[in-house]
């Protein structure tokens, strides 16, 4: 019999458990990786409504989300085509989509009867996984005409948006004195930043102008007698007011010509789905299950967009960690996780995924001290969201060094890694099983020094990301 969904609950006559799925997906050498009790509670949840998962660093959230999809599909709750996964980067979206597709294919080869009884599936079974911005762009492209927005092209990249803004700023005839003393590049950057912030926070130029004018009046009232801090603040307010006409013009130009930035797409998409509820009905009918990855970093516009589409009790699972919120500068907030149920429905279930598979004990002890301090400063009880070590975790090693010059520090890093990499026990391992090392830097200018020191030790290295290409001779010449 097919499963039944009554209200927000799933009822199954016969359940294929996550343990059975794990055994069916055993590796060629016979290894079976069974989910933990924490993971099973999420994977096998009978709740078919909003849910939020606090997933610590290295806690296996991607694998847990993948297994949740498998459980829903093989138990006939939904088909793969009815699942939408959203995350921030194309790389993360590709990884999640690839993992789900591979697991579904492996499971169908191992147990085709799981699929035949519920679904008529194509050979290549997969779910729809995209970035938050690309999904917003898709909605705007399909439905934007309802608000008179014609946007079916690729959004403007950073360089193209800068060039467009530069053209308009330099052709602006009436530039107030308060901003004239700055170089054109400074003004262009200020206009782009303010335009983006207004979009992320769903505010208008008119509302900001009124606020700044009122604030200026308050500052002027207290400047009698002189105060450097007040005068500096007043100068900033005057500059902000003077660039608002430029922001207004560039925003109007992008909207009229359909040359939208990523921020524009998200902002207009949020306004669109708020104004036209029918779009929510269309998307809910298409996607019965929605997975939101890295939810702690969603901005105000993104939350408005998603909650307008999939709020009011739809089956939305948000996965994130308030301790890893890093995009506060563009409207994200660690509090987003705590307010999820207010945006998507009070019938929300909460789960924790705090056993980390990545680190040993000393690393976690130190990390929990740092996180605990942040939590206390934020008014949270001590120990909230503390990470736990896996059963097989080692004691770990935590060391700290202080060096006079960046060159000395790079040399010390190489001296530390070289004996570990060349350890005879490691060399005996199959190359595919050898663990790797990562060096993280705050400033890209340190990369050439560290790279050079590692190469002098004969260590094979890769500089990850486009930043690494800048330092190779061919790119440096260009």
């Amino acid at each position: 019999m097919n499963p039944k969904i009554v209200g927000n609950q799933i009822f199954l006559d016969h359940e294929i458990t996550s343990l059975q799925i794990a055994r069916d997906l055993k590796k060629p050498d016979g290894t079976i990786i069974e989910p933990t009790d924490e993971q099973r509670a999420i994977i096998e949840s009978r709740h078919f409504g909003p849910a939020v998962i606090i997933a610590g660093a290295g806690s296996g959230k991607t694998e847990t989300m993948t297994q949740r999809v498998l459980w829903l599909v093989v138990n006939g709750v939904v088909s793969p085509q009815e699942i939408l996964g959203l995350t921030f980067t194309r790389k993360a979206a590709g990884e999640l989509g690839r993992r789900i597709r591979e697991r579904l294919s492996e499971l169908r080869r191992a147990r085709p009867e799981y699929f035949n009884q519920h679904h008529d599936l194509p050979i290549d079974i997969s779910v729809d996984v995209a970035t938050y911005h690309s999904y917003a762009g898709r909605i705007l492209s399909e439905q934007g005409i309802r608000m008179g927005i014609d946007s079916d092209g690729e959004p403007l990249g950073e360089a193209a948006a800068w060039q467009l803004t530069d053209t308009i700023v330099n052709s602006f005839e009436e530039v107030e004195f308060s901003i004239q003393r700055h170089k054109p590049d400074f003004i262009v950057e200020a206009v782009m930043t303010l335009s983006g912030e207004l979009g992320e926070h769903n505010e208008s130029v008119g509302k900001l102008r009124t606020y700044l004018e009122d604030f200026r009046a308050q500052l002027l009232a207290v400047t009698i007698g002189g105060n450097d801090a007040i005068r500096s603040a007043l100068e900033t307010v005057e500059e902000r007011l003077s660039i608002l006409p430029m922001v207004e013009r560039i925003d109007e130009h992008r909207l009229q010509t359909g040359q939208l930035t990523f921020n524009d797409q998200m902002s207009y998409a949020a306004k669109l789905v708020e104004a036209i509820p029918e779009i929510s009905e269309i998307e809910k009918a298409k996607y019965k299950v929605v997975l939101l990855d890295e939810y702690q970093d969603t901005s105000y516009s993104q939350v408005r967009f998603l909650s307008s589409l999939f709020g009011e009790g739809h089956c939305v699972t948000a996965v994130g960690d308030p301790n890893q919120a890093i995009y506060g500068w563009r409207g994200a907030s660690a509090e987003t996780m705590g307010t999820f149920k207010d945006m998507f429905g009070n019938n929300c279930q909460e789960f924790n995924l705090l056993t980390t598979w990545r680190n040993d004990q000393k690393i976690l002890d130190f990390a929990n001290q740092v996180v605990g301090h942040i939590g206390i400063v934020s008014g949270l009880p001590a120990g909230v969201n503390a990470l736990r070590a896996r059963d097989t975790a080692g004691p770990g090693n935590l060391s700290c060094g202080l060096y006079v010059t960046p060159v000395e520090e790079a040399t010390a890093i190489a001296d530390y890694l070289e004996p570990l990499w060349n350890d005879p026990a490691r060399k005996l391992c199959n190359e595919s099983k050898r663990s790797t090392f990562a060096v993280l830097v705050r400033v890209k200018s340190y990369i050439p020094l560290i790279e050079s020191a590692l190469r002098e030790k004969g260590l094979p290295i890769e500089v990850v990301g486009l930043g690494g290409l800048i330092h190779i001779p061919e790119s440096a010449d260009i």
Side-chain angles (χ1 to χ4, degrees):
M1 293 180 64
N2 291 326
K4 295 180 181 178
I5 300 174
V6 180
N8 292 118
Q9 290 295 312
I10 301 170
F11 295 91
L12 301 173
D13 292 322
H14 173 69
E15 178 186 4
I16 301 170
T17 68
S18 59
L19 291 177
Q20 181 61 53
I21 293 172
R23 291 165 188 151
D24 293 331
L25 289 174
K26 64 183 178 182
K27 296 184 177 180
D29 62 1
T31 303
I32 298 174
I33 302 177
E34 294 185 348
T36 64
D37 291 342
E38 269 185 337
Q39 292 172 320
R40 287 192 66 188
I42 297 167
I43 297 167
E44 300 177 0
S45 171
R46 302 295 183 94
H47 180 66
F48 200 72
V52 61
I53 303 171
I54 306 298
S59 60
K61 62 169 185 173
T62 303
E63 185 61 26
T64 303
M65 293 167 68
T66 301
Q67 294 293 330
R68 173 63 171 171
V69 169
L70 295 183
W71 186 88
L72 289 169
V73 170
V74 300
N75 283 291
V77 180
V78 294
S79 67
Q81 294 87 347
E82 295 173 317
I83 301 173
L84 173 66
L86 297 177
T87 188
F88 270 95
T89 66
R90 291 180 180 179
K91 181 179 180 181
E95 164 64 17
L96 179 60
R98 179 190 60 79
R99 190 176 300 195
I100 292 174
R101 184 172 60 253
E102 289 179 354
R103 294 287 192 280
L104 284 169
S105 298
E106 290 171 11
L107 191 57
R108 186 164 68 170
R109 285 194 298 269
R111 300 297 293 267
E113 65 273 18
Y114 288 170
F115 297 84
N116 296 338
Q117 61 182 326
H118 295 302
H119 310 294
D120 181 18
L121 298 175
I123 295 176
D124 181 24
I125 50 177
S126 61
V127 302
D128 191 352
V129 181
T131 66
Y132 288 108
H133 277 101
S134 64
Y135 178 62
R138 188 197 311 173
I139 294 294
L140 199 61
S141 175
E142 295 173 354
Q143 307 288 347
I145 196 66
R146 294 170 181 253
M147 284 183 62
I149 300 175
D150 183 11
S151 174
D152 56 359
E154 286 291 315
L156 289 178
E158 190 74 15
W162 198 97
Q163 288 178 324
L164 179 61
T165 307
D166 179 69
T167 300
I168 291 180
V169 166
N170 282 294
S171 64
F172 214 82
E173 297 177 357
E174 299 176 3
V175 181
E176 295 187 26
F177 177 76
S178 59
I179 200 70
Q180 287 179 359
R181 63 190 180 87
H182 291 291
K183 294 181 179 179
D185 285 1
F186 175 91
I187 302 174
V188 171
E189 193 67 35
V191 170
M192 287 186 63
T193 300
L194 185 53
S195 174
E197 290 288 338
L198 286 170
E200 289 285 2
H201 291 84
N202 190 36
E203 295 294 351
S204 66
V205 169
K207 188 174 180 181
L208 179 59
R209 180 182 286 113
T210 299
Y211 170 81
L212 289 173
E213 288 172 347
D214 290 343
F215 190 35
R216 178 176 59 183
Q218 295 176 42
L219 291 174
L220 288 171
V222 296
T223 54
I224 299 174
N227 183 307
D228 289 342
I230 294 293
R231 281 195 291 272
S232 176
L234 184 60
E235 185 178 290
T236 301
V237 171
E238 294 284 4
E239 289 180 357
R240 186 64 58 89
L241 281 166
S242 68
I243 67 172
L244 280 180
M246 302 179 190
V247 173
E248 199 164 32
R249 182 175 297 181
I250 188 65
D251 287 350
E252 290 175 354
H253 177 84
R254 290 201 305 263
L255 181 60
Q256 291 171 0
T257 60
Q259 296 177 291
L260 303 182
T261 64
F262 286 102
N263 286 339
D264 290 334
Q265 281 193 338
M266 186 58 68
S267 177
Y268 290 128
K271 294 175 182 176
L272 175 68
V273 297
E274 283 178 335
I276 305 175
E278 182 186 345
I279 300 174
S280 170
E281 297 175 11
I282 294 171
E283 294 302 299
K284 283 180 178 178
K286 184 190 299 183
Y287 299 114
K288 295 181 179 178
V289 173
V290 181
L291 305 174
L292 306 178
D293 191 22
E294 303 290 4
Y295 184 73
Q296 80 279 348
D297 282 327
T298 50
S299 67
Y300 179 60
S301 283
Q302 288 169 326
V303 172
R304 287 173 45 237
F305 170 69
L306 295 167
S307 60
S308 296
L309 282 178
F310 301 112
E312 300 180 354
H314 197 67
C315 187
V316 180
T317 300
V319 186
D321 181 4
N323 294 324
Q324 296 185 68
I326 62 174
Y327 291 118
W329 50 270
R330 63 150 179 73
S333 169
E335 298 176 357
T336 302
M337 297 296 295
T339 58
F340 175 83
K341 64 180 180 181
D342 298 327
M343 304 302 295
F344 289 87
N346 288 324
N347 57 332
C348 173
Q349 282 200 351
E350 298 183 8
F351 299 92
N352 286 325
L353 199 58
L354 299 175
T355 300
T356 176
W357 301 87
R358 184 180 298 162
N359 301 114
D360 289 331
Q361 191 62 56
K362 288 183 180 178
I363 306 296
L364 294 178
D365 290 342
F366 182 68
N368 285 331
Q369 286 186 39
V370 176
V371 170
H373 173 72
I374 295 172
I376 292 171
V377 171
S378 303
L380 297 174
V384 173
N385 303 335
L387 295 172
R388 297 185 292 268
R390 66 194 186 283
D391 293 337
T392 57
N397 178 43
L398 181 66
S399 59
C400 178
L402 184 62
Y403 304 94
V404 177
T405 67
V407 174
E408 290 182 12
E409 184 175 17
T411 302
I413 292 171
D415 289 341
Y416 179 81
L417 293 181
E418 190 269 337
L420 294 173
W421 180 259
N422 291 319
D423 179 58
R426 288 174 49 81
K427 286 191 170 183
L428 291 174
C429 290
N430 184 293
E431 195 64 32
S432 64
K433 294 184 178 180
R434 286 187 72 176
S435 59
T436 57
F437 300 92
V439 180
L440 310 182
V441 298
R442 283 187 177 273
V443 183
K444 287 183 179 180
S445 60
Y446 289 174
I447 291 177
L449 296 174
I450 298 172
E451 179 185 5
S452 176
L454 293 172
R455 290 195 186 281
E456 285 181 7
K457 294 290 185 180
L459 300 178
I461 70 168
E462 175 190 3
V463 180
V464 179
L466 294 176
L469 295 175
I470 296 172
H471 307 297
I472 65 173
E474 295 83 355
S475 296
D477 289 342
I478 294 173

Short mmCIF file of all heavy atoms in Angstrom, two decimals, residues 17 33 39 60 65-66 74 92-93 122 151 158 178 219 231 241 256 267 270 316 349 352 393-394 407 437 446 475:
data_model
loop_
_atom_site.label_atom_id
_atom_site.label_comp_id
_atom_site.label_asym_id
_atom_site.label_seq_id
_atom_site.Cartn_x
_atom_site.Cartn_y
_atom_site.Cartn_z
N THR A 17 13.96 0.90 6.56
CA THR A 17 14.68 1.77 7.49
C THR A 17 16.00 2.27 6.91
O THR A 17 16.52 1.73 5.93
CB THR A 17 14.98 1.03 8.81
OG1 THR A 17 15.93 -0.01 8.55
CG2 THR A 17 13.71 0.43 9.40
N ILE A 33 28.45 1.55 6.50
CA ILE A 33 28.48 2.76 7.34
C ILE A 33 27.05 3.05 7.78
O ILE A 33 26.25 3.60 7.03
CB ILE A 33 29.07 3.95 6.57
CG1 ILE A 33 30.48 3.62 6.07
CG2 ILE A 33 29.11 5.19 7.47
CD1 ILE A 33 31.11 4.72 5.25
N GLN A 39 21.46 10.81 13.46
CA GLN A 39 21.12 10.85 12.04
C GLN A 39 19.84 10.09 11.76
O GLN A 39 19.01 10.53 10.95
CB GLN A 39 22.28 10.28 11.23
CG GLN A 39 23.53 11.15 11.24
CD GLN A 39 24.71 10.48 10.58
OE1 GLN A 39 24.94 9.28 10.74
NE2 GLN A 39 25.49 11.24 9.83
N GLY A 60 28.43 15.55 9.23
CA GLY A 60 27.84 14.67 8.22
C GLY A 60 26.49 15.12 7.73
O GLY A 60 25.64 14.30 7.37
N MET A 65 21.32 14.52 4.80
CA MET A 65 20.31 15.02 3.88
C MET A 65 20.11 14.05 2.72
O MET A 65 18.98 13.80 2.28
CB MET A 65 20.73 16.39 3.35
CG MET A 65 20.72 17.49 4.41
SD MET A 65 21.57 19.01 3.87
CE MET A 65 20.45 19.59 2.60
N THR A 66 21.21 13.47 2.24
CA THR A 66 21.12 12.49 1.16
C THR A 66 20.33 11.27 1.60
O THR A 66 19.46 10.78 0.87
CB THR A 66 22.54 12.06 0.71
OG1 THR A 66 23.26 13.22 0.28
CG2 THR A 66 22.47 11.06 -0.42
N VAL A 74 12.39 5.69 -1.31
CA VAL A 74 12.16 4.24 -1.32
C VAL A 74 10.92 3.84 -0.54
O VAL A 74 10.34 2.77 -0.79
CB VAL A 74 13.40 3.47 -0.79
CG1 VAL A 74 14.62 3.76 -1.63
CG2 VAL A 74 13.65 3.76 0.68
N ALA A 92 28.78 23.61 -3.92
CA ALA A 92 28.01 22.88 -2.92
C ALA A 92 26.77 22.24 -3.55
O ALA A 92 26.40 21.11 -3.22
CB ALA A 92 27.61 23.81 -1.78
N ALA A 93 26.12 22.98 -4.45
CA ALA A 93 24.94 22.44 -5.13
C ALA A 93 25.32 21.23 -5.98
O ALA A 93 24.61 20.21 -6.00
CB ALA A 93 24.30 23.51 -6.01
N PRO A 122 12.92 7.57 -14.52
CA PRO A 122 13.83 7.53 -15.67
C PRO A 122 15.15 6.85 -15.28
O PRO A 122 15.41 6.61 -14.10
CB PRO A 122 14.05 9.01 -16.00
CG PRO A 122 13.83 9.71 -14.70
CD PRO A 122 12.75 8.93 -13.99
N SER A 151 13.29 39.58 -17.12
CA SER A 151 14.63 39.17 -16.71
C SER A 151 14.83 37.70 -17.04
O SER A 151 14.58 36.83 -16.22
CB SER A 151 14.84 39.40 -15.21
OG SER A 151 16.07 38.87 -14.78
N GLU A 158 30.13 40.86 -11.06
CA GLU A 158 30.67 41.99 -10.31
C GLU A 158 31.33 43.01 -11.23
O GLU A 158 31.13 44.22 -11.08
CB GLU A 158 31.68 41.47 -9.28
CG GLU A 158 32.13 42.51 -8.27
CD GLU A 158 31.08 42.81 -7.22
OE1 GLU A 158 30.10 42.04 -7.10
OE2 GLU A 158 31.21 43.84 -6.54
N SER A 178 29.61 67.45 -0.83
CA SER A 178 30.07 66.55 0.23
C SER A 178 30.74 65.29 -0.32
O SER A 178 31.52 64.65 0.37
CB SER A 178 28.90 66.15 1.13
OG SER A 178 27.89 65.51 0.36
N LEU A 219 21.58 65.30 14.64
CA LEU A 219 23.00 65.57 14.81
C LEU A 219 23.28 67.08 14.84
O LEU A 219 24.09 67.56 15.63
CB LEU A 219 23.81 64.91 13.68
CG LEU A 219 23.86 63.38 13.69
CD1 LEU A 219 24.56 62.87 12.43
CD2 LEU A 219 24.57 62.87 14.93
N ARG A 231 30.63 65.53 14.44
CA ARG A 231 30.91 66.10 13.13
C ARG A 231 31.29 65.03 12.11
O ARG A 231 30.91 65.11 10.94
CB ARG A 231 32.03 67.15 13.25
CG ARG A 231 31.55 68.49 13.79
CD ARG A 231 32.58 69.58 13.53
NE ARG A 231 33.78 69.37 14.35
CZ ARG A 231 33.93 69.84 15.59
NH1 ARG A 231 32.97 70.55 16.15
NH2 ARG A 231 35.06 69.63 16.25
N LEU A 241 23.59 60.80 1.90
CA LEU A 241 22.49 61.50 1.24
C LEU A 241 22.86 61.93 -0.17
O LEU A 241 22.02 61.88 -1.09
CB LEU A 241 22.07 62.72 2.06
CG LEU A 241 21.18 62.46 3.29
CD1 LEU A 241 21.13 63.68 4.19
CD2 LEU A 241 19.78 62.05 2.85
N GLN A 256 14.82 48.78 -15.71
CA GLN A 256 14.24 49.08 -17.02
C GLN A 256 14.90 48.29 -18.15
O GLN A 256 14.25 47.91 -19.12
CB GLN A 256 14.35 50.58 -17.30
CG GLN A 256 13.45 51.44 -16.42
CD GLN A 256 13.73 52.92 -16.55
OE1 GLN A 256 14.63 53.33 -17.30
NE2 GLN A 256 13.00 53.74 -15.81
N SER A 267 15.99 40.34 -4.45
CA SER A 267 15.07 41.34 -3.91
C SER A 267 13.75 41.38 -4.68
O SER A 267 12.67 41.35 -4.09
CB SER A 267 15.75 42.72 -3.96
OG SER A 267 14.87 43.72 -3.50
N ALA A 270 11.66 38.22 -4.17
CA ALA A 270 10.94 38.24 -2.89
C ALA A 270 9.68 39.08 -2.99
O ALA A 270 8.60 38.69 -2.52
CB ALA A 270 11.86 38.76 -1.79
N VAL A 316 9.51 21.75 4.70
CA VAL A 316 10.79 22.44 4.47
C VAL A 316 11.74 22.07 5.60
O VAL A 316 11.39 22.22 6.77
CB VAL A 316 10.60 23.97 4.43
CG1 VAL A 316 11.93 24.66 4.19
CG2 VAL A 316 9.59 24.37 3.38
N GLN A 349 9.56 20.98 13.87
CA GLN A 349 10.35 20.07 14.71
C GLN A 349 11.81 20.48 14.64
O GLN A 349 12.30 20.91 13.60
CB GLN A 349 10.18 18.62 14.27
CG GLN A 349 8.88 17.99 14.73
CD GLN A 349 8.94 16.46 14.72
OE1 GLN A 349 9.88 15.86 14.23
NE2 GLN A 349 7.92 15.85 15.27
N ASN A 352 19.13 18.03 16.38
CA ASN A 352 20.53 18.38 16.53
C ASN A 352 21.39 17.33 15.84
O ASN A 352 21.09 16.12 15.89
CB ASN A 352 20.93 18.46 18.00
CG ASN A 352 20.38 19.70 18.68
OD1 ASN A 352 20.29 20.75 18.06
ND2 ASN A 352 20.01 19.58 19.94
N ALA A 393 37.37 8.86 17.79
CA ALA A 393 38.23 10.04 17.74
C ALA A 393 39.48 9.84 18.57
O ALA A 393 39.44 9.22 19.65
CB ALA A 393 37.47 11.27 18.22
N GLY A 394 40.61 10.36 18.11
CA GLY A 394 41.85 10.32 18.86
C GLY A 394 41.97 11.52 19.77
O GLY A 394 41.11 12.40 19.78
N VAL A 407 57.88 35.07 6.59
CA VAL A 407 58.80 34.06 6.05
C VAL A 407 59.09 33.00 7.09
O VAL A 407 59.08 31.79 6.80
CB VAL A 407 60.10 34.73 5.55
CG1 VAL A 407 61.11 33.66 5.13
CG2 VAL A 407 59.81 35.68 4.40
N PHE A 437 46.57 17.48 3.91
CA PHE A 437 46.68 18.58 4.87
C PHE A 437 46.19 19.87 4.21
O PHE A 437 46.32 20.03 3.00
CB PHE A 437 48.14 18.77 5.31
CG PHE A 437 48.74 17.56 5.97
CD1 PHE A 437 49.43 16.62 5.22
CD2 PHE A 437 48.62 17.36 7.34
CE1 PHE A 437 49.98 15.50 5.83
CE2 PHE A 437 49.17 16.25 7.95
CZ PHE A 437 49.85 15.32 7.19
N TYR A 446 50.01 35.98 1.77
CA TYR A 446 50.87 34.98 2.42
C TYR A 446 51.03 33.72 1.57
O TYR A 446 51.93 32.91 1.81
CB TYR A 446 50.30 34.58 3.78
CG TYR A 446 50.39 35.64 4.86
CD1 TYR A 446 49.79 35.45 6.10
CD2 TYR A 446 51.08 36.82 4.64
CE1 TYR A 446 49.87 36.42 7.09
CE2 TYR A 446 51.16 37.80 5.63
CZ TYR A 446 50.55 37.59 6.85
OH TYR A 446 50.63 38.54 7.82
N SER A 475 50.39 33.54 -15.40
CA SER A 475 49.36 34.51 -15.02
C SER A 475 49.99 35.80 -14.52
O SER A 475 49.48 36.90 -14.80
CB SER A 475 48.45 33.93 -13.93
OG SER A 475 47.76 32.82 -14.42
#
